[in-house]
Structure formats: structure tokens, C-alpha cells
Amino acid sequence: MAVDKNDLNNLPRLLLPCVRCGQCRSVCPVFLAKGVESDSPRGRMTLVRALLEGKLKPSDLLNEKLQQCLLCRTCVMECPSGVHVDRVIIAAREKLAEKKGIPLKKKVITRWLLPNLNRLAAFMPAAALLEGIVAVRVSGGYYRPRLNLPLVGKRLLPSVGGKRPEFLTSSTGGSFSASSAGRRVVFFTGCMTNMAYPRVAGAVVEVLRRHGVEVVIPKELVCCGLPMLAAGDRESFLRVREENIKVFKKYPGLAIITACASCGSTLKEYYAGGIEGKVYDFTEFLLGEVDFQPPRGVVERKITYHDPCHLRKAQQIKEQPRRLLKSIPGVQYQEVKEPDRCCGFGGTFSLSFPDLSQEIGITKVQALMDTGADTVVTACPGCMLQLADGLYNRQSAAAVMHVAEVLAAAYRAEERQN
């Protein structure tokens, strides 16, 4: 999808295929939680159509209805008419933003916080100290707030005080050579991996290097821009997109690797035409672009896997993570019921509607617990945080890991066994 093809101007055309059959209602996680027609994809399409026809005025209630969409694309996969509901919603939010502005909470996130994360990294030691005061450390390395905090309430927080990989704190970024000559790639870490899950970034680098891949992590890369797009803030999105493209152009032709489903789908869809290198999810690259060597180290875990929406539905990647996990000796793999059911995170959705986000997540978490797995694996840091919070709230001791972390653990076990 070319970014200059502004869906805002094409809203009537995007809405046209919707015949209001309502099949989308059977899968929409928000509708299943609330049971309200105006909170279903069909209901939102009707609201957007009424807005365009002037039958409905921009209002806070309308904005809330449109904001209460996870952009998970479950309805897009289900729609027999091929309506791109996610694109309609993003364009409609942009239209509302023109009329009423960006909500303050989202403005703080999209225009101040996310574009400046690199600069804020210098304050992480202070943030870690503060986190230890306002929150209690719990299992899995997370922190539970003692009181309702701005934006996050009492949701679990990732540790911000862990030992960060050198490349995440250096001033210029880093390049990690491989043990043997091979491919060279750019690793787009993304905000969540960079700031909340540096351990995942370290695992990705470790696994790629073991396959002869030199990994470059430019320090100048910023947020992929999805939160800005989702807020209807196209101006901010275009600004961060341009910043990232300038960095990518310093590495012409190099493949771009992500370990975040949302970053990956955004780069693939909205950076088209602006970058030369092909974008890959970590699992996709490992099985499709290098000679993958299954680890021989044993990892004794009973594992189940959660499909991130932006990986399975936006990028059609579902088999690769499973194949990688099943290649590890000692892993007992147990498929979960409805593996592609949304966890309810939705990026800034979880900040704007924390109660609804957690309610949607309950169904998913219960299904994961029903597998009896001691480890829940996924391929998106946002899903990791949501699932960890849900499992903790239901007194589950199951660990939450990224695919790369499990692989890295297996390779380390192989070294110890040798």
C-alpha cells in the first residue's frame, strides 16, 4: 500500500463493498465482549457512511465508537466482500481528527512520547528507580503498580531496569558481526522491543548471528508510526516514516528484520515505495532466507503459541513460528483453541480502554491456560505484555516468551551439552 494513496479521499469507495451482512459480528472481539451493534464492524461502517453523508455530526461518542476498534483485521479475514475495515477505520479517525483534533491522551503518546523515545532512553535509570517505588516486582520480571498510574492503570509493567544490550544504549547503534561470512541485515527493533523487551532483541541477534548473519541496529531509527496512523494522526506518521526511510537509505538493499508483528506489518504496507530492502519477520527470514539449522539443545517446556493479529492476518505468517518451535528438542507443543483470537492489546487501544482490553483478553488467556502449557510463546512484544498481564491476573505461573527467546535458549543448551 503506497502511503500517498490517502484512504481519506477514498472512503466512499472503501465502504462500497459492504453489504451489511453482519458476518463480521461473529468474530469481532469488541462486539463479542460488548454485544452492541454500533461496536461491531458493520455498525462502524454504518456510522462512517452516515458521517460522510452528513447524517451524523462529529462527536465524542462517535469518536469513541471508532476508537474502540483493535485494528486486528479479524473481520477483514471474515468478510465475504473483502471490505478493508481497518483502512476505513483509520481514514475515518483521520477525518474526525481534522474536525475535532486528536484526543489529548493519544496526542501525548503519538506526538511527544513515541517520537522521542531515543532521547528519553537517557532517563531510563531514573525510570527504573521510580518503577521500583510505585510498583512491586512480580514473577516474570514484571512490575505491578501499587496504585492506578496514568495511562496504564494497574496493568503489569515490563521491567525498565534490566541490563540492556550494548547496542540499545550506545550513541551510534551497533553492528554485530557473524562468526562466518553471510548476509548483512538491518534489525528494526521497534519501541516495545527496544524499551520494554531488550532481551528479545538480544535473542534475535544471537540466533541470526549463529546463522552467519551480520546484524546492524541503527540507533537513529524511531517508532514505525502505527500508533500515529491508528490515531488518525497522519502528519505525525509521515514525519516518523520519513525519519526511518532516511536511515534505511544508509543501508541500500539490506533486508530489514523485525521481531514485532505490528512494526513488520506497518513497514511492509506503509513504507512501500520508500525503502529498497525487503522487510521480513524474524521467523519468516530464518526459514526462508538462510539455511536454518535446528538447535540440538534440549528445552524441556510444554509450549503453546499465540498468533499475533498483525503477523497471521496482516502478513499471513502462521506456520513459521510453529515450525521453529517444533524443531526444538524437548519441546512439547500444544495448539490452543482459536490460536488467532485477538489478545485484546491493540497498542494504544489498551491504554485508551484498559478495562475492555482486559475483558477481551480473558477469553484468550483462559484458552491458553486450558492447554496446560507452562510457556506461552508469541511473536509480538505487545501481545507478550498483554498475555503476561492476563496470566498474572488469573494466578497462572506460565511464562511468556518470544519465539526468538526459546530458540536462543535451545542454542545455548546445545553449547552446554557440547
Side-chain angles (χ1 to χ4, degrees):
M1 185 190 306
V3 73
D4 57 354
K5 188 178 179 181
N6 192 339
D7 285 339
L8 182 59
N9 298 324
N10 297 319
L11 258 175
R13 182 181 60 79
L14 290 171
L15 283 166
L16 196 60
C18 179
V19 295
R20 308 180 191 183
C21 67
Q23 193 164 326
C24 50
R25 301 187 347 151
S26 65
V27 295
C28 173
V30 175
F31 176 76
L32 292 175
K34 300 184 68 175
V36 177
E37 170 65 17
S38 57
D39 290 313
S40 71
R42 183 177 69 176
R44 295 192 191 96
M45 296 302 97
T46 301
L47 292 175
V48 174
R49 187 177 283 112
L51 177 67
L52 292 178
E53 294 172 351
K55 297 176 182 176
L56 201 59
K57 300 289 185 186
S59 67
D60 291 340
L61 180 59
L62 175 60
N63 188 49
E64 181 178 300
K65 294 291 181 184
L66 295 182
Q67 296 292 339
Q68 282 191 354
C69 170
L70 285 151
L71 301 176
C72 66
R73 309 195 197 191
T74 308
C75 55
V76 178
M77 301 295 290
E78 188 72 12
C79 179
S81 302
V83 179
H84 291 279
V85 178
D86 57 318
R87 291 170 58 184
V88 172
I89 294 296
I90 289 174
R93 289 176 181 175
E94 189 177 345
K95 188 172 185 63
L96 277 181
E98 285 182 350
K99 302 287 185 183
K100 297 183 67 66
I102 307 292
L104 179 60
K105 184 185 288 187
K106 291 207 170 182
K107 191 180 291 185
V108 169
I109 296 170
T110 62
R111 294 191 176 177
W112 183 79
L113 181 62
L114 294 179
N116 293 295
L117 277 182
N118 285 347
R119 298 182 186 90
L120 294 175
F123 298 96
M124 292 307 282
L129 183 63
L130 182 63
E131 185 177 50
I133 296 172
V134 302
V136 180
R137 189 177 177 88
V138 298
S139 61
Y142 294 92
Y143 281 84
R144 182 73 169 178
R146 300 175 192 272
L147 65 166
N148 283 318
L149 299 177
L151 293 179
V152 298
K154 298 193 75 171
R155 296 171 63 90
L156 281 194
L157 302 171
S159 171
V160 296
K163 186 177 181 182
R164 307 172 70 76
E166 181 183 356
F167 55 82
L168 295 172
T169 54
S170 68
S171 59
T172 57
S175 177
F176 295 84
S177 60
S179 56
S180 59
R183 291 187 63 170
R184 191 167 185 242
V185 301
V186 172
F187 179 17
F188 185 91
T189 53
C191 301
M192 282 288 289
T193 303
N194 209 12
M195 305 301 286
Y197 289 102
R199 69 176 201 244
V200 172
V204 169
V205 172
E206 180 179 344
V207 173
L208 289 177
R209 292 182 68 197
R210 288 179 184 273
H211 287 82
V213 178
E214 180 182 350
V215 183
V216 180
I217 305 179
K219 178 74 173 179
E220 307 93 327
L221 289 172
V222 295
C223 174
C224 68
L226 180 58
M228 295 76 166
L229 263 181
D233 189 355
R234 181 169 291 267
E235 181 182 334
S236 295
F237 166 71
L238 291 176
R239 192 159 46 241
V240 297
R241 177 183 184 269
E242 187 60 29
E243 282 189 53
N244 287 326
I245 286 176
K246 284 181 182 176
V247 178
F248 288 138
K249 284 183 176 177
K250 296 178 181 177
Y251 307 92
L254 292 193
I256 299 166
I257 310 299
T258 75
C260 170
S262 296
C263 292
S265 65
T266 303
L267 294 178
K268 286 181 177 179
E269 295 179 29
Y270 290 96
Y271 282 59
I275 51 179
E276 184 180 337
K278 188 174 179 180
V279 180
Y280 296 91
D281 179 71
F282 164 74
T283 63
E284 178 185 26
F285 183 83
L286 204 54
L287 286 176
E289 297 299 317
V290 298
D291 182 17
F292 173 64
Q293 299 298 312
R296 288 175 292 180
V298 176
V299 174
E300 296 284 358
R301 287 181 180 270
K302 185 174 182 180
I303 284 176
T304 190
Y305 176 74
H306 161 69
D307 284 295
C309 294
H310 286 162
L311 195 62
R312 179 163 176 154
K313 297 159 193 167
Q315 301 183 58
Q316 288 76 54
I317 294 175
K318 61 178 183 179
E319 294 303 327
Q320 292 90 333
R322 291 172 169 80
R323 284 177 56 194
L324 290 170
L325 292 171
K326 292 175 182 176
S327 74
I328 301 172
V331 164
Q332 297 179 56
Y333 185 83
Q334 180 65 47
E335 193 65 76
V336 64
K337 181 183 177 184
E338 298 183 282
D340 60 337
R341 190 184 183 98
C342 180
C343 68
F345 182 68
T348 54
F349 178 95
S350 65
L351 301 177
S352 301
F353 310 104
D355 293 341
L356 180 57
S357 173
Q358 287 185 318
E359 182 181 350
I360 292 170
I362 287 174
T363 304
K364 181 73 194 193
V365 167
Q366 187 58 55
L368 293 168
M369 292 173 63
D370 290 344
T371 65
D374 57 41
T375 307
V376 174
V377 179
T378 187
C380 182
C383 298
M384 289 175 69
L385 184 58
Q386 174 81 347
L387 296 176
D389 182 71
L391 289 165
Y392 174 83
N393 289 334
R394 299 184 78 79
Q395 290 83 49
S396 169
V400 178
M401 300 177 72
H402 192 282
V403 177
E405 290 184 282
V406 187
L407 279 171
Y411 287 117
R412 286 180 215 133
E414 180 179 327
E415 280 188 352
R416 290 193 296 272
Q417 290 165 17
N418 292 335

